[in-house]
């Protein structure tokens, strides 16, 4: 059974930083894409950042220049370094993996206070 376990969320002041991690365990085929989505209260889940197996990246416009996604294939882990956080970044952040199907983590709360 495949599991995605996120960590690193929490409460931070505006301008601060957090680093999210998502460790993938279980029997899984090649992870073509790994990434992060977020969902604020009353809003739809939205893409934050994606990284492919060849390490191409794509970011939402709102986070470009502030967030960096990376992956460690030896650890089956994807990271999201979030700098210069803003109150509007407040949301539940979900890890995502595309393999033979989509996989999602349970989510980790990120709260940025003003």
């Amino acid at each position: 059974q495949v599991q995605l376990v996120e960590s690193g969320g929490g409460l931070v002041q505006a301008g601060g930083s957090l680093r999210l991690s998502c460790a993938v365990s279980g029997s899984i085929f090649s992870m073509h894409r790994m990434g992060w989505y977020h969902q604020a209260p009353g809003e739809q889940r939205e893409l934050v950042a994606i990284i492919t197996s060849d390490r191409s990246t794509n970011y939402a416009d709102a986070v470009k220049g502030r967030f960096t996604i990376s992956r460690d294939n030896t650890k089956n882990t994807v990271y999201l370094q979030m700098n210069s956080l803003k109150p509007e970044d407040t949301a539940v952040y979900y890890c995502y993996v595309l393999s033979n199907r989509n996989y999602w983590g349970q989510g980790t709360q990120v709260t940025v206070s003003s």
Side-chain angles (χ1 to χ4, degrees):
Q1 183 176 356
V2 175
Q3 285 191 315
L4 280 62
V5 179
E6 299 117 331
S7 61
L11 173 64
V12 65
Q13 288 188 331
S17 298
L18 286 173
R19 188 192 194 209
L20 304 183
S21 300
C22 173
V24 183
S25 63
S27 180
I28 188 169
F29 293 105
S30 296
M31 294 181 288
H32 307 299
R33 294 184 182 181
M34 305 179 78
W36 296 91
Y37 284 68
H38 70 193
Q39 187 168 17
E43 302 289 333
Q44 290 189 338
R45 193 173 296 188
E46 298 178 333
L47 171 71
V48 177
I50 286 286
I51 184 167
T52 65
S53 55
D54 64 358
R55 289 183 165 74
S56 295
T57 58
N58 186 35
Y59 295 91
D61 288 342
V63 307
K64 285 180 180 176
R66 300 188 297 122
F67 291 10
T68 303
I69 189 170
S70 61
R71 61 189 285 174
D72 184 338
N73 291 335
T74 65
K75 297 180 180 179
N76 282 356
T77 299
V78 60
Y79 305 96
L80 185 68
Q81 178 66 43
M82 305 186 294
N83 298 329
S84 302
L85 282 160
K86 303 176 180 180
E88 50 263 44
D89 295 319
T90 295
V92 177
Y93 283 70
Y94 295 92
C95 178
Y96 162 77
V97 171
L98 171 62
S99 178
N100 58 317
R101 47 156 283 192
N102 295 328
Y103 294 95
W104 292 93
Q106 292 299 307
T108 184
Q109 177 70 45
V110 171
T111 302
V112 184
S113 64
S114 59

